[in-house]
């Protein structure tokens, strides 16, 4: 693994393979390994003749932990991703983001269009523009004395996942409180880079995906059959659909 500094934040990343670069941005409470390496994404992209770049977002994995919600705005996390692209000397790249990572990639598609060849927004739907209602529920679950003290089902799911990933619970609580930025519908309607919106058909966290895809000119929609928010990321339908999208984009 490699590291670089973006201001006060040390970012841990991996860079494997050759060919067109694909930048992978993981979801909340995950890491580059859990979201992308272990489910086979890095291997899949390398075998397809692409260069896979993935980072640990601030507050996650081996990157710097911060404890104020204002340190976790989507704009700041997107600036980490852009700094990584600059650090590697990449003029443009394809981006794949899952859940919170999709929010980050959407921000780049809106505000750093010249650097984005295409973007896959996965594990996200209309909550991207309408906002999400689970932030405080998840934060409270992360701050509870133990998993046994959490009764809300969604809170329990995220607390259990965070414990499995051996995450810094206090940093994650700050992150979930700070990263709920919405993207205006008008901004999404102005996106002109190729976009694929992908979500599990049983995903109750993302919000409906078809209306989001319909909002973005020319966007494609990929349903991942029967998968919920936690299980869609490694699904073969998701991988095959993403590769087809990357191969067919302008």
């Amino acid at each position: 693994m490699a590291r670089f500094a973006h201001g006060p934040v040390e970012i841990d990343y991996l860079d494997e393979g050759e060919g067109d670069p694909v930048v992978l941005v993981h979801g909340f409470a995950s890491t580059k390994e859990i979201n992308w390496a272990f489910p086979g994404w890095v291997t899949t992209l390398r075998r397809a003749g692409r260069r896979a770049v993935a980072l640990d977002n601030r507050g996650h994995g081996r990157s710097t932990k911060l404890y104020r919600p204002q340190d976790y705005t989507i704009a700041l996390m997107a600036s980490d991703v852009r700094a990584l692209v600059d650090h590697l000397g990449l003029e443009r790249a394809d981006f794949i983001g899952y859940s919170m990572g999709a929010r980050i990639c959407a921000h780049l598609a809106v505000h750093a269009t010249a650097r984005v060849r295409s973007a896959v927004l996965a594990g996200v739907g209309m909550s991207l523009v309408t906002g999400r209602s689970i932030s405080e529920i998840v934060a409270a679950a992360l701050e509870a004395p133990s998993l046994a003290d959490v009764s809300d089902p969604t809170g329990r799911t995220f607390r259990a996942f965070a414990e499995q990933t051996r995450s810094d619970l206090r940093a994650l609580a700050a992150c979930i409180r700070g990263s709920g930025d919405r993207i205006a519908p008008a901004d999404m309607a102005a996106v002109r880079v190729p976009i694929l919106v992908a979500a599990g058909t049983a995903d109750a966290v993302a919000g409906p995906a078809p209306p989001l895809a319909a909002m973005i000119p020319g966007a494609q929609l990929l349903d991942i059959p029967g998968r919920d928010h936690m299980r869609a990321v490694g699904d073969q339908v998701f991988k095959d659909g993403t590769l087809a999208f990357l191969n067919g984009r302008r």
Side-chain angles (χ1 to χ4, degrees):
M1 300 302 171
R3 294 174 69 83
F4 79 103
H6 180 216
V9 179
E10 291 278 336
I11 298 293
D12 203 83
Y13 69 94
L14 64 82
D15 181 5
E16 298 185 12
E18 299 178 354
D20 286 347
V22 181
V23 179
L24 304 163
V25 188
H26 68 73
F28 175 74
S30 192
T31 67
K32 60 186 179 301
E33 290 84 14
I34 291 167
N35 213 142
W36 305 118
F38 299 161
W41 273 98
V42 173
T43 299
T44 294
L45 291 169
R46 290 183 62 184
R47 287 175 177 171
R50 297 181 182 273
R51 178 180 175 183
V53 176
L55 77 159
D56 283 337
N57 290 314
R58 57 174 60 197
H60 296 73
R62 297 184 181 93
S63 293
T64 299
K65 310 302 184 295
L66 304 163
Y67 300 100
R68 304 183 307 166
Q70 59 263 41
D71 291 323
Y72 289 99
T73 65
I74 292 298
L76 280 174
M77 287 193 282
S79 75
D80 292 336
V81 178
R82 183 166 179 173
L84 173 59
V85 171
D86 291 342
H87 174 72
L88 296 176
L90 306 177
E91 291 186 9
R92 299 180 76 204
D94 298 296
F95 291 81
I96 305 175
Y98 194 81
S99 193
M100 183 182 72
R103 292 175 177 271
I104 294 169
C105 291
H107 186 279
L108 291 169
V110 170
H111 297 286
T113 305
R115 313 302 296 276
V116 180
R117 182 177 285 127
S118 71
V120 178
L121 309 180
V124 73
M126 282 299 288
S127 63
L128 183 65
V129 296
T130 62
R132 62 190 184 205
S133 60
I134 64 171
S135 295
E136 195 54 40
I137 292 172
V138 174
L142 293 167
E143 292 172 335
S146 70
L147 178 60
D149 294 295
V150 181
S151 58
D152 181 85
T154 300
R156 284 186 62 85
T157 297
F158 278 95
R159 172 62 180 258
F161 183 60
E163 290 186 357
Q164 289 170 5
T165 58
R166 299 181 180 180
S167 296
D168 184 321
L169 300 183
R170 191 160 64 94
L172 290 187
C175 179
I176 196 70
R177 288 189 171 111
S179 61
D181 316 50
R182 305 177 189 181
I183 296 183
D187 286 338
M188 294 308 301
V191 170
R192 292 296 181 266
V193 300
I195 297 289
L196 175 67
V197 177
T201 58
D203 189 336
V205 174
L212 178 64
M215 183 181 296
I216 306 167
Q220 300 178 37
L221 175 66
L222 176 65
D223 287 329
I224 307 170
R227 295 299 194 184
D228 62 17
H229 195 70
M230 295 298 183
R231 296 185 299 146
V233 68
D235 192 275
Q236 193 63 44
V237 170
F238 181 23
K239 293 174 185 172
D240 292 343
T242 295
L243 288 179
F245 167 75
L246 293 176
N247 290 334
R249 58 118 170 90
R250 296 189 299 275

